[in-house]
Structure formats: structure tokens, C-alpha cells
Amino acid sequence: MKSAEKQKKGVFGKFLDFVERTGNAMPHPVTIFVIFCLAIIVISGICAKLGVSVSYEGINPKTLEKTQMTVSAVSLMSADGIRYMLTSAVKNFTSFAPLGTVLVAMLGVGVAEGTGLISAAIRKLVLSTPKSLITAVVVFAGVMSNVASDAGYIVLVPLGAVIFLSFKRHPLAGIAAAFAGVSGGFSANLMIGTIDPLLGGISTEAARIWDPAYTVEPTANLFFMMVSTILIVVLGTIVTEKIVEPRLGKYKGDTNVDVEGITAQESKGLRYALIALIALVAVILVMTVPSWGILRHPETGALLKSPFMDGMVTIILLVFLVPAIAYGIGSGSIKNDKQVVSAMSKSMASMGGYIVLVFVAAQFVAYFSHTNLGTILAVKGADFLKNTGINGIPLIIAFVILAAFINLFMGSASAKWAILAPIFIPMLMQVGFSPELTQVAYRIGDSTTNIISPLMSYFALIVTFAEKYDKESGIGTLISTMVPYSMIFLVGWVVMLIVWYMLGLPLGPGVPLHYPMM
């Protein structure tokens, strides 16, 4: 029977097993990031000694001004490098974006767990959702969560595990499905998100290198990304149910979720929570919908770049905290304020392992940025592709693959685009491709490898979530689980792009595929 199972795995299954064994045979994730840091120190010293540098015309993501840049490798093996590592360690840790985001949001999540709101809500979902649709629901929720900044990483990924466990399915498959939607489907959505105007602004400045009057709107890729949402949900569901779950097998951990019916007290609590949530949403709408809303940008009145978006983490805290307290009062699980504070404290205590991991992960990401190795790699890769002489659709496909590869080493979508856009947008405009098409190609590559890159800001958090259900899991387990999503999303998205191009469909409202050649 075992040999039959091994044969059934095939080459791809054996490859994933190899990735998992290799990754998990390595030390603890904290130690791995320490090793990564040491490697960056050595590599930066060698590159600086060899005088490695690049020159390029980039765009400042903040000012959107074109800038001629020369970047050289910075050594961490020098006196200045040692001083930097010693003096910046605390700042690297405290300024690591996911740290504050996760801890603040978890205060609300902790109360929601402590009062029993999450347990009751999950059981309600389990009892009312057909089993055949739950995977698609989790992936879809992950894709749509991108509108609310990074909420999906903090809230939906751990909930994915609980939801799957409620259905007697492997919790790591739930984590994988949610993570695939949130991060692998980062660019897909049915609505405009915060990334759209940011990338559009950079694309506009890059296009004006060739055409001074050109403008790339925030809605430039809307139609393509709406259809992409359906694609990612379908592919994510298939990969989860046909590849990931069979490979994980039956869950043998000791974590269980009660799926008994909702009691009368719990029903009362859920009603209280719903009323509290509706009231909270109403207050937020009053502060955001009217043109005079106080959470809009005080000067421009914009909503995408506004206190509302900047305060999204605090809003997430309130969205969990307020209904959780209301649930506790309604169900009788909260008797006094001390229980609320106790639930928050327990939530923070459970994040101890994550905080330790973040400390070293933050140093690694900071070292990579400080040494300029990511920028050098991006520019060198772009120059290589530019000099290959490839044209037409093969060039677009090659550009997608380049963006996917660079994304493994350079996390920020806007920073990468600020480097690549001034090179590829004018270049592809000259062969008849619109800037919006080039931007779509970049977004495909940028999204698909998020889920397998240790440099992705929330990667350490996902490792921590997985360890809760499988103590033996590590970076190898997570990467081997997510590789099928990454590969199939990349192939599926590229095929969709080719079909879209061949059919001549608009990428967004009034947005063409072609740029009229001079």
C-alpha cells in the first residue's frame, strides 16, 4: 500500500516532500533568519569589495519624481556596517510594519476569542455553509480582504485554520487556502484598493518618459483584476482540495473545535454582537461616506489616501473588540472589565514566539535593504531581460517571470515597481504595449511568489500560525505547502493574460491593450 502511495505522488509530490524535508531539517526559523543575516553580512562585504553597483532612472514612490540613481553595495563587514547593526537593531524591530499591526489587532481578536464570540460565529458558519463551498469562501474572503490593508494576514489566515478544523479538515490546509487568497491573490479584487493609485502614479511618471501627456488611472486594471478574482478563487479551491489536502493527510493533532449547536445564550450574544457591529459600521460610514467626513483626507477629501485607511488597524481592533464585549454581555461570558483585560493579556502572551521570530526577521529585512542587494538584483535582472532581444507576448511573459523572481528578494510592491516601471513601460510602449498592460504583467508576477518568499513581511507570522497546529512544521512545511499555489497561480494568470490580449479586451474602463506606435 505504501509503495502504491509513493507511486501515486509522482515527481511533483516527491519534489514537494523534498522541499519540506530540506526546509524542516534546518534549524528553528529563528536560527534560520540568523543564518540569513550572517549570509547577508558576508555577501554584502564581498560585493562592496568588488565594487558592485548599478545606475538607473527610477521614480521616488513618495514624490513620484524621476530620479537618476546610482546604487552601490554597502558592506556590513565594515566599521560603519558594524555600527549600523548595533545601533539600528531596536529601530529595525520596533519599526517592522507587521509587528505593531499584528499586536494591536490581536488585542481585539483576543477578546473575541476569550468571550467565545469567534467560537460561536465559526459554529454558526459551519452549520449554515455547505461543505462543498467552504474552501472557495475562504479563498474569496482572502482575496477581498486586501481592500482592508493587511487585515487578511492577521485575521483571516488563523480563522481559515479554525474553519477547516470545524469541518474536520486539516487546519494547515485552511491556513494555506486563506494565505493563498490574501497574499497570492494580492492584486486581484472586485474593488479598487490602496495599491491601485500607488502603482498608477508610478506608471504615469514612467509612461511620461516616452509620452509626456500620458496618465495611468487607479482604475487602469479594474476589469482584469475583477476577473482575476474569479480565477484565483477557482484555482485556489482546486489546489487546496486536489493537491494540498491529500498531501497533508488526516489531521492528527490534539486541537479540536466544538461544532455543537448554538445555545440560547450564545444566540442572544450573537444578536448583541451583530447590533454592536452594525452600530459601529454606521458610525464609521458617517465619518467616511459624506464629503465632509472627518476620516477623509482633510485637504483632498480622498478616501483611499486618508485617515480612514491609515487607521485601518485601529478600526480592525474596534471591529473585534466592540462586538466581542457586546457578545460577552449578551451571552453572560463577561461579568466585569477584568475579564476583558485578562483576555487581552492572554492574547499578548500567546504572541511571545512570534515576537522573538520578528526580532531576527526584522534585522534580516533591514540588512537586505541597507546593503542595496535587493535593488542591485532588480536592476541587473531588468537589464538582462532588456538586452535579450525578446519581443511581443514572449517579452511580456518573461517580464512576469522576472517580477516573480525579484519578488522573492525584494518585498515592497511599490519599491520594485519604482525601479522596473521606468525601464519597461517606455520600452514596451515603443513596441505597442500600453503602460496599463505592462502594469498588469508586473502585478501578476509580484503577487504569485509572495506566498513562498521569507522576505514577505508577514511570512514569519504565517509560520507561527502553522506551528500552533503542527509543532514539527517549519519554513519547509509552509513553503512546500504554498509552492503549488504559487506555480499554478503564475501559470493560470499568464494564460489568462494571453487570452485577454488575444481577445483584445479592455483592462479597465476605457483602457486599451495597445499603445499607438509613433
Side-chain angles (χ1 to χ4, degrees):
M1 191 74 166
K2 276 191 175 179
S3 60
E5 279 181 8
K6 279 188 177 178
Q7 271 188 332
K8 195 176 178 182
K9 278 188 176 181
V11 176
F12 187 57
K14 291 175 182 175
F15 166 71
L16 294 179
D17 287 346
F18 171 75
V19 171
E20 181 174 10
R21 283 196 305 272
T22 303
N24 289 346
M26 297 176 72
H28 189 279
V30 171
T31 310
I32 290 174
F33 277 109
V34 170
I35 293 170
F36 285 170
C37 288
L38 294 174
I40 293 298
I41 293 170
V42 173
I43 293 169
S44 69
I46 294 171
C47 289
K49 190 74 174 175
L50 295 175
V52 176
S53 65
V54 291
S55 295
Y56 66 97
E57 187 177 50
I59 294 173
N60 187 319
K62 295 181 179 177
T63 64
L64 297 182
E65 294 178 353
K66 294 189 287 290
T67 310
Q68 187 64 38
M69 300 285 290
T70 298
V71 174
S72 302
V74 176
S75 174
L76 291 176
M77 295 180 71
S78 63
D80 284 342
I82 293 170
R83 283 192 287 265
Y84 165 77
M85 289 187 286
L86 288 175
T87 59
S88 68
V90 174
K91 183 181 177 183
N92 293 342
F93 175 52
T94 57
S95 62
F96 192 61
L99 178 64
T101 301
V102 171
L103 294 183
V104 170
M106 285 302 294
L107 289 172
V109 173
V111 177
E113 286 183 338
T115 59
L117 172 59
I118 288 181
S119 173
I122 292 296
R123 280 184 282 132
K124 188 78 172 176
L125 175 68
V126 169
L127 294 170
S128 58
T129 304
K131 187 176 181 179
S132 60
L133 293 179
I134 199 64
T135 306
V137 168
V138 169
V139 178
F140 176 72
V143 173
M144 293 304 296
S145 72
N146 292 319
V147 174
S149 187
D150 297 330
Y153 292 107
I154 307 158
V155 176
L156 191 66
V157 174
L159 281 182
V162 178
I163 291 169
F164 269 51
L165 199 53
S166 301
F167 279 93
K168 306 300 181 186
R169 296 170 66 180
H170 205 297
L172 293 191
I175 288 175
F179 189 29
V182 173
S183 200
F186 175 69
S187 280
N189 215 294
L190 297 178
M191 297 180 285
I192 297 296
T194 53
I195 193 68
D196 293 278
L198 179 57
L199 295 183
I202 295 172
S203 297
T204 294
E205 293 305 313
R208 288 178 178 176
I209 295 172
W210 182 251
D211 183 347
Y214 206 96
T215 300
V216 178
E217 300 292 344
T219 56
N221 303 146
L222 180 60
F223 294 164
F224 186 87
M225 291 308 166
M226 289 173 73
V227 178
S228 294
T229 302
I230 300 171
L231 176 75
I232 294 301
V233 170
V234 171
L235 293 181
T237 301
I238 292 171
V239 172
T240 302
E241 296 181 350
K242 302 299 182 183
I243 299 176
V244 171
E245 279 195 281
R247 182 172 174 274
L248 288 171
K250 187 177 180 181
Y251 179 58
K252 298 177 181 177
D254 52 9
T255 305
N256 292 301
V257 175
D258 181 14
V259 288
E260 294 178 2
I262 305 296
T263 66
Q265 281 297 98
E266 288 173 331
S267 292
K268 183 180 177 182
L270 287 173
R271 286 196 301 273
Y272 275 44
L274 181 60
I275 293 169
L277 180 61
I278 291 172
L280 177 62
V281 170
V283 171
I284 294 171
L285 289 175
V286 168
M287 293 190 286
T288 54
V289 173
S291 58
W292 45 261
I294 62 173
L295 292 184
R296 286 181 173 270
H297 193 287
E299 296 176 5
T300 65
L303 195 58
L304 287 177
K305 293 183 178 180
S306 66
F308 171 68
M309 296 307 299
D310 292 341
M312 187 57 69
V313 177
T314 308
I315 291 172
I316 292 170
L317 165 64
L318 294 174
V319 164
F320 277 90
L321 182 62
V322 173
I325 293 174
Y327 174 85
I329 293 170
S331 66
S333 61
I334 287 182
K335 304 296 182 184
N336 53 55
D337 61 308
K338 293 179 181 178
Q339 289 178 297
V340 175
V341 176
S342 176
M344 289 182 172
S345 300
K346 286 180 181 177
S347 176
M348 291 298 99
S350 69
M351 299 304 292
Y354 171 67
I355 292 172
V356 174
L357 183 57
V358 161
F359 177 77
V360 289
Q363 309 309 318
F364 170 58
V365 172
Y367 291 176
F368 209 86
S369 174
H370 180 78
T371 57
N372 292 326
L373 293 180
T375 302
I376 291 170
L377 185 64
V379 175
K380 291 287 188 183
D383 288 343
F384 170 77
L385 184 56
K386 186 178 180 179
N387 295 329
T388 58
I390 302 173
N391 278 305
I393 287 294
L395 177 59
I396 287 287
I397 296 171
F399 178 54
V400 172
I401 294 170
L402 174 70
F405 175 73
I406 291 173
N407 191 47
L408 294 171
F409 305 96
M410 194 174 182
S412 170
S414 59
K416 290 193 299 292
W417 192 225
I419 294 169
L420 298 177
I423 298 171
F424 286 100
I425 282 184
M427 174 179 150
L428 291 171
M429 287 172 76
Q430 293 175 58
V431 297
F433 292 135
S434 71
E436 293 86 351
L437 177 60
T438 308
Q439 181 177 285
V440 157
Y442 167 73
R443 295 178 75 172
I444 292 172
D446 177 62
S447 293
T448 50
T449 51
N450 278 335
I451 47 182
I452 58 172
S453 172
L455 270 170
M456 201 275 291
S457 299
Y458 287 93
F459 193 85
L461 178 65
I462 311 303
V463 171
T464 304
F465 288 150
E467 287 178 338
K468 178 180 178 180
Y469 297 96
D470 182 357
K471 304 300 181 187
E472 301 299 317
S473 72
I475 288 179
T477 301
L478 183 58
I479 292 179
S480 65
T481 301
M482 302 312 298
V483 161
Y485 294 101
S486 186
M487 294 175 65
I488 291 173
F489 282 5
L490 180 61
V491 172
W493 232 336
V494 167
V495 170
M496 176 179 157
L497 179 62
I498 293 171
V499 171
W500 197 284
Y501 181 83
M502 293 176 67
L503 292 175
L505 301 174
L507 295 165
V511 176
L513 291 164
H514 301 282
Y515 177 79
M517 297 176 66
M518 303 295 183

